[in-house]
Amino acid sequence: MNFTQIKMIICDMDGTLLDNQKKLPPHFNQIYKELYDSNIIFAISSGRQMGEVKKYFEGNKTIYLMAENGGYIQHNGDTLLADYMNKEDVYKLTNFVFTLKGTSPMLSGKKAMYAFNKDKELISKHTNHFSITYVDTIEDIDDDIFKITVCDPIDPVKNCLEGPLSCIKGFEVKPSGDCWIDINKKGQSKADSVVFLQKTLSISEEETMVFGDSDNDLPMFTHAYYSYAMKNADHFIQSKARFVTQEDNDHDGVMKTIQKMMEKEDGLLIQI
């Protein structure tokens, strides 16, 4: 397989591209330039709010940024997709989460990420790397909302599969990271953003490579032949990918995988 067949690389952020200190790999800019010079599209796919994603890539406007689990896509400052939740659904879901013991909702909007003052103690323990706007009530939020993120420090996976949140129908409910659960519109997932770019840029699944480590990355794996789970991902996630990186996110697993593929002058794809 020739590396020139790869036309697009899509990468998750937390637990994948970023290390455990939430930092980019030291050689990211250098490797990205090599990809750009080789006409290979590089895209970020994250459950984060767009403002948080942009902070990492302010010097690289040519990177496609897909935030909110695929609900918000920007490139070079232009918005390609913005798919908001219905306001009535936002109210209904937020009030439902308020009834659940030990969990707290956050609302991811176009302008900011919002949480509630009554939940500040719990939320602040798990959002060291995020900018949060705290409000008293949902009526204080004047913004379009992409998704609701639930903080569940006990067991987000169990909550989704058999807990109270498993009762939510008509929405995408996925664990995201160690203590988070994302609630998106039905049909809105990282897979949809991958397909959107593939159609927009005329790129096939066989020409697409993706990297991920969590449940909300699984939908991407089905739309890319070169699906890579991180070494630090759990066994279930790894079993759903076609490949697994040799290194984890704390040891530049994504960049080292790409480097190995590009290291020969003829661009020979090396499967590791």
Side-chain angles (χ1 to χ4, degrees), residues 167-190:
C167 300
I168 295 177
K169 306 300 180 184
F171 299 89
E172 302 290 343
V173 183
K174 302 283 186 183
S176 176
D178 294 336
C179 63
W180 303 105
I181 300 165
D182 288 338
I183 305 175
N184 285 80
K185 290 175 62 174
K186 191 68 176 177
Q188 188 180 91
S189 71
K190 289 189 175 186

Side-chain angles (χ1 to χ4, degrees), residues 15 20 44 54 108 127 140 143 180 192 212 232-233 258:
N20 291 335
I44 292 296
K54 281 185 171 182
S108 191
T127 54
D140 295 330
D143 200 354
W180 303 105
D192 298 278
N232 48 286
I258 294 173

Side-chain angles (χ1 to χ4, degrees), residues 76-168:
N76 205 23
D78 295 326
T79 296
L80 306 183
L81 177 70
D83 193 9
Y84 307 114
M85 295 183 77
N86 179 285
K87 289 188 177 182
E88 186 175 313
D89 290 336
V90 173
Y91 274 65
K92 178 177 65 176
L93 291 167
T94 301
N95 286 325
F96 173 70
V97 176
F98 280 151
T99 68
L100 306 180
K101 186 178 180 180
T103 64
S104 301
M106 296 199 304
L107 278 59
S108 191
K110 185 176 182 179
K111 302 175 186 176
M113 176 71 84
Y114 304 92
F116 297 90
N117 283 316
K118 71 181 186 64
D119 301 323
K120 193 168 187 176
E121 183 177 356
L122 175 60
I123 293 293
S124 62
K125 291 179 181 178
H126 303 283
T127 54
N128 294 337
H129 302 280
F130 295 93
S131 298
I132 307 294
T133 298
Y134 286 94
V135 296
D136 290 324
T137 69
I138 193 170
E139 287 79 13
D140 295 330
I141 299 173
D142 181 20
D143 200 354
D144 293 310
I145 303 300
F146 288 100
K147 76 173 189 297
I148 296 170
T149 297
V150 180
C151 181
D152 178 1
I154 306 301
D155 193 339
V157 175
K158 184 177 180 180
N159 197 339
C160 285
L161 295 178
E162 55 189 66
L165 292 184
S166 67
C167 300
I168 295 177

